[in-house]
Amino acid sequence: MFSRPVLSRHGCILSVKRYQNTSSKEVDFKTEDLEDDPVAEFGPNIPEAEEAVERAEKFRQYVESKRDVSRFPRASVFNKHKKKLPTYSDRGADILKSENYFRKLYARFGKESGIEPGLAWPSRQQLQQIINEEKEYDLTLEEKVSILVQRKSDQLNSYEKLVKDTDDALKKMPTNIDSFYQRILKREKLDKEKEAKKQEVLDQAREFYGYEVDLRDPRIQEMIKKFQEERKAIEKAKKKEEDKKRAQSLQLQQKLKQADKILSETSDQTK
């Protein structure tokens, strides 16, 4: 339930009652008395009216507090949102004694803030401090110009280098394209060879076992291991045969050399 001020027919606030079942009987004044007394009709009870206004203002503040769900501090953000000139105690003003704060306050409220406009400009001491800091830490005009010239020259050099690199890359483009396609063909060839080798292993396994065998079956590894051992034995025998033939050829060459030497010696003796 909420309370509201009750007005007379002339617009004067007389009392505050509840919304529920409010009737003329519950109002704190009598209509028959107003009809008899013209002063009472045109001049309501002032203390009662002030009390009603105070209650209405409290009710309005209560409703506003319920509507405000932001939970912002009223001293700063609430007043800023409502565009009201902030009022602080002496302690709060001492805490907020900064030129930037009062400059922002003047920029927001203007002359209504009561702040001197001259606060927006730095004082003589501040200007002198700025000048001293610029002399000590800031660069001179010649140094700034030299930095700009160097920056422009670096940008020009980087642009020229980019143009040169682009031209060189365009010149090499046909060769790079050919090498790219060659790499693709080589990769495709290797893939085909790999696939052919897998198929050959599967065919050998089917011929060895008499039925289809998956490539991931461990029996494939056993078969490959057996084939490798047989191949190694064949290669070893072949190598041994080649070594034997090489040794025989060396012996034959030695015998031929000895025969040539004997023939040369006999021919010298006959002479």
Side-chain angles (χ1 to χ4, degrees), residues 145-166:
V145 170
S146 64
I147 290 172
L148 289 175
V149 170
Q150 184 65 30
R151 188 180 300 166
K152 289 290 184 181
S153 63
D154 292 341
Q155 290 177 358
L156 184 60
N157 293 332
S158 63
Y159 176 74
E160 291 177 353
K161 185 176 180 299
L162 178 62
V163 171
K164 185 179 178 181
D165 294 341
T166 305

Side-chain angles (χ1 to χ4, degrees), residues 31-51:
T31 55
E32 54 269 15
D33 294 340
L34 294 176
E35 292 177 359
D36 297 338
D37 191 2
V39 177
E41 182 180 359
F42 294 100
N45 191 357
I46 300 302
E48 187 178 358
E50 290 178 353
E51 184 181 356

